[in-house]
Amino acid sequence: MTSTVPASLTRTAEGAALQAVLLDMDGTLVDTEGFWWDVEKEVFAGLGHRLEESWRDVVVGGPMTRSAGYLIDATGADIRLDELTVLLNDRFESRISRGVPLMPGAERLLAELAAHEVPTALVSASHRRIIDRVLDSVGHHHFALTVAGDEVARTKPHPDPYLTAAAGFGAEPWRCAVVEDTATGVAAAEAAGCRVVAVPSVAPIAPAAGRVVVGSLEDVDLAFLRKLITGTG
């Protein structure tokens, strides 16, 4: 985890219902879920295997070890998990080296959160090296705290990443609004006790108690996130 949280920032939301906003990265803020799938197909093609499109819904949003392990088992590829992880990260990092596209509404939402000094964290299952490269495009300054998948004992769908982020702000999980695009990420946030806005990117996500599903970040603003916590509106 990396953090640049000054004392004044952690106090910003004292007395308010919403204490922090915790954002997923791939498919939520940046349009990179397709990049990951393309990279996975390219790497496995080089190993002599073709990935089935139906597998995409299984691996989307998951930690590298789970996704890569699943694809090794599904294809029978002759490669170790640690070797495949390096290949995938290297290929993906090369793919995003020239920048990444933001999802619609992402830039506006980040600007609004910054303008109102809302404590904001990036919480991703991607490894630190990938997060830092993406933030070179998105802007490190938008986030006072970032949590990478290789920095917690258990990454998504376990609650550890979101519990770590909430603790980093000194916030109560139930007063943190999470924005996620996959069922894996939603499961992690809800297991941590956070309120969730789901913006599905690849596979559908159903509404549930404490969870709202929207079609785009264009539908999400600070007022929306505050209502998510208070249960009004």
Side-chain angles (χ1 to χ4, degrees):
M1 181 179 73
T2 63
S3 175
T4 57
V5 187
S8 60
L9 185 57
T10 61
R11 290 197 300 268
T12 297
E14 281 187 6
L18 177 66
Q19 290 186 324
V21 174
L22 315 178
L23 302 167
D24 174 53
M25 186 176 75
D26 293 298
T28 299
L29 286 179
V30 291
D31 192 6
T32 50
E33 290 291 12
F35 288 8
W36 276 114
W37 183 240
D38 288 344
V39 163
E40 287 161 347
K41 289 194 296 183
E42 290 167 7
V43 168
F44 274 89
L47 297 172
H49 298 275
R50 180 178 179 275
L51 301 188
E52 297 182 11
E53 286 297 319
S54 62
W55 297 342
R56 184 178 182 183
D57 289 352
V58 179
V59 301
V60 66
M64 175 71 72
T65 51
R66 190 197 74 183
S67 299
Y70 174 86
L71 294 175
I72 289 174
D73 291 340
T75 61
D78 184 19
I79 188 171
R80 298 198 316 267
L81 180 59
D82 60 332
E83 294 174 331
L84 179 57
T85 297
V86 171
L87 283 178
L88 291 172
N89 276 324
D90 285 349
R91 186 71 62 90
F92 186 78
E93 190 170 1
S94 176
R95 184 74 177 265
I96 64 175
S97 61
R98 293 183 295 275
V100 294
L102 286 171
M103 297 296 285
E107 186 172 6
R108 174 200 48 77
L109 178 59
L110 290 171
E112 184 181 16
L113 295 175
H116 289 82
E117 298 185 327
V118 178
T120 303
L122 187 70
V123 183
S124 176
S126 290
H127 289 187
R128 169 57 55 187
R129 59 180 286 198
I130 300 300
I131 288 179
D132 287 344
R133 180 56 65 91
V134 170
L135 288 180
D136 288 343
S137 295
V138 176
H140 294 261
H141 62 284
H142 289 301
F143 306 97
L145 186 152
T146 60
V147 180
D150 56 343
E151 295 174 339
V152 289
R154 301 180 305 170
T155 189
K156 303 173 187 180
H158 298 287
D160 305 38
Y162 284 111
L163 290 174
T164 298
F169 284 133
E172 298 174 87
W174 69 272
R175 292 171 71 180
C176 294
V178 170
V179 185
E180 273 279 0
D181 73 303
T182 67
T184 298
V186 167
E190 291 180 345
C194 302
R195 302 296 175 87
V196 179
V197 180
V199 190
S201 63
V202 176
I205 299 172
R211 178 200 311 168
V212 177
V213 180
V214 299
S216 166
L217 284 184
E218 297 281 13
D219 301 320
V220 181
D221 58 16
L222 181 53
F224 182 100
L225 296 174
R226 284 172 171 161
K227 289 178 181 178
L228 180 72
I229 302 301
T230 61
T232 62

